[in-house]
Amino acid sequence: MRLPAFLADQRRLRRVLYPSSATLATLTRLHALLIVSSSNHLLASLAAAYARSGALDAAESTLATSPASPSSIAAWNALLAAHSRGGSHSTALRVFRALPPAARPDSTTFTLALSACARLGDLAAAESIKDRAFEAGYSKDVFVCSALLHLYSRCGAMGDAVRVFDGMPRRDRVAWSTMVAGFVSAGRPVEALGMFRRMREDGLEGDEVVMVGVVQACAATGDAQMGASVHGYILRHGMRMDVVVTTSLVDMYAKNGKFDVARQVFRMMPYRNAVSWSALISGFVQNGHADEALDLFRELSTSGLQPDSGAHVSALLACADMGLLKLGKSIHGFILRRLELNCILGTSILDMYSKCGSLKSAQKLFDRVSSRDLVLWNAMIACCGTHGRGHDALALFQELNKTGINPDHATFASLLSALSHSGLVEEGKFWFDRMGKEFGIEPAEKHYVCIIDLLARSGLVEEANDLLASMQTEPTIAVWVALLSGCLNNKKLELGENIAEKILEFQPEDVGVLALVSNLYAAAKKWDKVREARKLMKDSSSKKVPGYSLVEVRGMRHMFVMEDQSHPQLQEILKIVAKLDSEMRKMGYVPRTEFVYHDLEEGVKEQLLSYHSERLAIAFGLLNTSPGTRLVIIKNLRVCGNCHDAIKYISKIVDREIVVRDAKRFHHFKDGACSCGDYW
DNA sequence: GTAGGGTTAG
């Protein structure tokens, strides 16, 4: 059949098929005519027009039902591009795989397909596409190579990215910026900065996109000065200060602790969105300013902008930090009403419950999330571990293995730490052995710390020592400390003395570490060494972080510092402390004054112990909550052995559950016993 | 017609 006259008029037709002028109805009418006329070339153009106007199914079926023509690959490309614009990367890949053999993919096709793989993080799928692209002669194509760079960067294969990059005959700004961003996300910010330098030596200056990566690199190195000079570079080059560039600057300044500058840049933004707020909020949380972070979060909530998931994550982190269970709960409720519960939010909520001492709520949340990713599993395993549930952690780990998700280094760190806290030696040895052999994860420093701690504490000091000697990398102080405390507990004093020497070579300033060394020398009756260690403790204690305890009462946070006299209820608190003290003594409590590292009279030492911040916080909690209420105390340092004893007695006297989170883990005290079984 | 950018969880 002959084409209708207007269809033969190519100029007119092109106007119709051009995206802005064609309505879907026009395209559909045309479609009918073209089918009858069986003009494959025009059908392809029509399909492209369909794709551009969002009618992707129509585009695909048009292409699939008409024979391939020289122009059909452009139409297929338009369809692929439309899918990736819409974020449907797996559909894009499906379309790519379903290409009819006659439609020969070109540079654009491969670029789009590889880009889809990159977004999906699907290295395996990309590999065969790359082979086909290279066979078709596109191995030096700037676009194909850039897509490959992006792919490898996103999948953490920077070695491959570098190989492709080095093989490129010509590198444009996109290629450089992909490398900069790649090194940043691989956690190699110094190399990212090196890339930027090389780029400039190559004669190219940065644009807005490149600079975002460079600013991120400055944020990651913590080099505030470099960050400021990069900021200057951006201003000097007259770049557009769009919301992304400015947000990255806010983030960089906040991460580097330059809160005033971060605030200033933030306040001067002509337009900010939820991400800009989140950047500032998370900067505060990460630097230990949870209070300010929550203030900002409240300000965001009343600013008219809807806080997004990122802002909620930071707010939850702040709650977790300070043990604000009530606020955390209400944020959880808000998320359920207003946002979709994704894995990141779920993990943040779980972690908040865990850190606020509410193991049950954490478990409940974990059970409610239907599609769990590895991070969520890891968080739950870690939660069991810190709450002293080694067996539960192991059971979860085994359940995880049945899902087909592969555990990673963090999974094993949490698992081994859980097993170590619960003293599960056989299980610990078993899984430490398997992690490399069966799961291909080479044990790192943190894994060694757990397993050596576990072995040494369980009396297998020689075995722990052998394992330490077999380490591929130079052991850090943490490994030695784990071994030393095992030596002390199991009276392996000769070995312990050698290790104590080793530890002193690190010139530790941590009072806990020095106390351990001193106690070991005392056990070995090396009194001059004891004096030496005590002197180091005295010198370093001036630099020591002061210990404090937090307790939440009716949604309000209260902070106690040792010997703090400023609290309005101080007299009542001290009365309770004294009353408990005398009752405890009747039950057999003996203050362990060896935990006071000052030369004082015994009586003074005893009194000092009873004024430890956790004791004050507990007394305050008892004073202001009704019987039966659970008390959750958050301590920034580790609970001392004496307080641990004392709280066991207190939990029996007052018939309350008392939960203490210290710098390492949780202790659930009830009926005169602790969940850690005094094994910590 | 195609490639690169900000916050956030263990």
Side-chain angles (χ1 to χ4, degrees):
Chain A
M1 178 185 165
R2 215 168 57 81
L3 282 174
F6 87 92
L7 285 183
D9 179 349
Q10 290 290 319
R11 264 185 34 219
R12 220 174 126 192
L13 191 59
R14 215 171 294 136
R15 267 207 309 279
V16 175
L17 290 177
Y18 201 72
S20 54
S21 60
T23 64
L24 207 51
T26 318
L27 294 178
T28 318
R29 267 207 312 283
L30 260 174
H31 196 170
L33 288 166
L34 289 174
I35 288 172
V36 186
S37 67
S38 70
S39 160
N40 294 332
H41 169 68
L42 290 177
L43 273 170
S45 308
L46 174 80
Y50 269 139
R52 281 192 297 265
S53 62
L56 305 190
D57 290 340
E60 187 169 351
S61 66
T62 307
L63 282 167
T65 51
S66 58
S69 71
S71 54
S72 65
I73 192 61
W76 283 107
N77 289 344
L79 179 59
L80 285 175
H83 278 304
S84 46
R85 266 197 308 276
S88 319
H89 304 292
S90 41
T91 317
L93 271 192
R94 182 186 58 72
V95 171
F96 174 79
R97 293 206 181 95
L99 280 181
R104 289 180 57 81
D106 63 5
S107 149
T108 305
T109 325
F110 288 121
T111 302
L112 285 164
L114 287 170
S115 160
C117 295
R119 302 279 171 194
L120 293 167
D122 193 339
L123 258 183
E127 212 44 43
S128 71
I129 298 175
K130 184 200 81 175
D131 290 343
R132 280 180 63 188
F134 281 18
E135 277 164 29
Y138 295 115
S139 66
K140 306 282 174 202
D141 184 277
V142 193
F143 279 82
V144 170
C145 286
S146 270
L148 276 174
L149 294 181
H150 188 210
L151 167 83
Y152 290 134
S153 310
R154 274 188 77 113
C155 298
M158 282 316 286
D160 292 308
V162 169
R163 245 205 353 267
V164 172
F165 186 75
D166 288 343
M168 289 172 76
R170 187 175 71 77
R171 299 171 190 115
D172 62 4
R173 233 184 230 110
V174 174
W176 285 104
S177 81
T178 310
M179 293 304 284
V180 171
F183 276 120
V184 170
S185 56
R188 293 157 66 173
V190 177
E191 284 147 287
L193 293 173
M195 273 287 160
F196 178 52
R197 190 174 36 77
R198 274 179 60 193
M199 168 182 170
R200 294 180 66 196
E201 286 164 3
D202 222 42
L204 280 171
E205 293 297 336
D207 67 356
E208 285 83 355
V209 181
V210 179
M211 296 323 289
V212 167
V214 176
V215 172
Q216 282 180 294
C218 295
T221 54
D223 187 340
Q225 234 186 332
M226 169 80 86
S229 76
V230 167
H231 188 178
Y233 177 97
I234 294 173
L235 295 175
R236 275 200 309 282
H237 285 72
M239 286 183 215
R240 215 164 19 86
M241 297 299 275
D242 64 23
V243 64
V244 178
V245 171
T246 333
T247 299
S248 73
L249 285 168
V250 169
D251 177 58
M252 180 272 293
Y253 282 120
K255 277 211 179 92
N256 287 342
K258 302 281 175 203
F259 298 118
D260 292 342
V261 194
R263 269 220 165 86
Q264 201 185 342
V265 176
F266 179 77
R267 297 288 173 206
M268 277 167 37
M269 288 172 81
Y271 162 77
R272 31 182 119 79
N273 57 23
V275 179
S276 331
W277 281 91
S278 300
L280 191 58
I281 294 173
S282 75
F284 276 103
V285 182
Q286 284 164 5
N287 284 288
H289 297 271
D291 273 331
E292 285 94 329
L294 285 174
D295 287 343
L296 276 165
F297 181 72
R298 286 187 199 101
E299 198 186 331
L300 164 61
S301 308
T302 52
S303 72
L305 272 175
Q306 169 94 255
D308 65 350
S309 71
H312 281 93
V313 168
S314 296
L316 286 164
L317 214 59
C319 294
D321 223 42
M322 301 194 292
L324 292 173
L325 179 60
K326 204 167 169 193
L327 181 58
K329 251 185 196 157
S330 76
I331 293 176
H332 179 189
F334 185 88
I335 289 169
L336 290 184
R337 289 193 299 277
R338 308 288 282 273
L339 297 166
E340 208 173 316
L341 189 67
N342 58 26
C343 274
I344 293 187
L345 278 168
T347 308
S348 307
I349 298 168
L350 190 158
D351 190 53
M352 179 275 296
Y353 280 129
S354 170
K355 296 210 170 107
C356 289
S358 199
L359 175 63
K360 266 193 204 130
S361 304
Q363 180 71 56
K364 221 161 99 188
L365 187 110
F366 181 75
D367 294 339
R368 279 188 53 163
V369 179
S370 47
S371 64
R372 303 167 181 149
D373 70 356
L374 181 60
V375 184
L376 187 70
W377 279 97
N378 289 351
M380 193 63 224
I381 293 172
C383 173
C384 288
T386 52
H387 285 276
R389 306 293 189 97
H391 285 291
D392 293 345
L394 184 55
L396 272 170
F397 174 75
Q398 276 155 341
E399 209 185 312
L400 165 67
N401 283 338
K402 283 186 209 140
T403 65
I405 302 175
N406 284 324
D408 68 356
H409 62 100
T411 319
F412 281 100
S414 298
L415 175 68
L416 291 172
S417 149
L419 297 175
S420 157
H421 284 325
S422 299
L424 298 169
V425 187
E426 287 313 312
E427 291 83 349
K429 278 160 67 166
F430 181 82
W431 289 108
F432 182 79
D433 184 52
R434 285 290 183 285
M435 66 180 280
K437 285 185 189 149
E438 200 176 306
F439 297 92
I441 297 162
E442 280 312 306
E445 168 74 19
K446 55 189 172 190
H447 305 112
Y448 276 103
V449 174
C450 295
I451 189 74
I452 286 172
D453 177 67
L454 174 57
L455 292 171
R457 264 199 303 196
S458 313
L460 303 169
V461 178
E462 277 82 12
E463 201 175 329
N465 193 33
D466 291 346
L467 190 62
L468 189 150
S470 76
M471 284 175 68
Q472 299 290 319
T473 54
E474 195 58 36
T476 59
I477 185 166
V479 188
W480 291 111
V481 169
L483 187 54
L484 183 62
S485 71
C487 290
L488 180 60
N489 291 337
N490 294 287
K491 302 278 173 283
K492 307 278 181 184
L493 302 176
E494 241 175 89
L495 179 60
E497 279 183 58
N498 293 331
I499 296 165
E501 289 294 326
K502 271 273 183 217
I503 289 176
L504 289 177
E505 284 170 21
F506 286 89
Q507 303 190 327
E509 295 196 330
D510 183 318
V511 177
V513 171
L514 290 168
L516 179 64
V517 170
S518 155
N519 290 344
L520 187 115
Y521 283 133
K525 302 195 167 47
K526 297 284 158 66
W527 304 113
D528 49 331
K529 295 279 191 184
V530 173
R531 271 191 295 279
E532 207 179 295
R534 292 254 159 181
K535 182 168 182 320
L536 289 170
M537 285 167 70
K538 219 170 164 183
D539 295 345
S540 70
S541 61
S542 51
K543 285 176 256 170
K544 192 179 88 171
V545 200
Y548 64 79
S549 294
L550 303 174
V551 61
E552 187 192 62
V553 169
R554 288 188 291 273
M556 291 286 289
R557 184 189 57 121
H558 300 264
M559 184 192 242
F560 293 87
V561 185
M562 183 164 172
E563 299 170 64
D564 184 7
Q565 308 274 317
S566 67
H567 199 278
Q569 286 181 303
L570 185 69
Q571 290 314 315
E572 287 120 297
I573 293 171
L574 293 183
K575 251 185 225 158
I576 293 192
V577 169
K579 193 164 158 250
L580 286 173
D581 206 67
S582 79
E583 283 190 52
M584 282 151 56
R585 283 174 197 258
K586 279 183 216 151
M587 295 166 75
Y589 164 74
V590 182
R592 293 165 65 183
T593 49
E594 73 262 29
F595 287 101
V596 179
Y597 306 123
H598 302 282
D599 297 323
L600 297 163
E601 284 173 39
E602 281 303 295
V604 182
K605 284 187 182 180
E606 288 181 12
Q607 186 155 43
L608 275 184
L609 283 174
S610 68
Y611 292 162
H612 273 188
S613 64
E614 47 271 60
R615 302 271 294 274
L616 299 177
I618 289 171
F620 172 79
L622 292 171
L623 190 63
N624 293 287
T625 56
S626 43
T629 314
R630 211 166 82 119
L631 290 180
V632 181
I633 312 293
I634 292 182
K635 168 123 209 235
N636 63 334
L637 308 174
R638 298 209 62 191
V639 184
C640 80
N642 181 71
C643 283
H644 194 268
D645 269 3
I647 300 169
K648 282 196 295 183
Y649 284 105
I650 295 173
S651 75
K652 189 156 186 146
I653 295 167
V654 301
D655 190 25
R656 294 252 197 147
E657 189 184 353
I658 301 173
V659 181
V660 179
R661 176 182 111 190
D662 72 5
K664 275 217 165 139
R665 54 175 301 186
F666 279 90
H667 300 266
H668 293 255
F669 297 92
K670 208 176 174 184
D671 296 331
C674 178
S675 61
C676 77
D678 301 339
Y679 189 90
W680 94 102

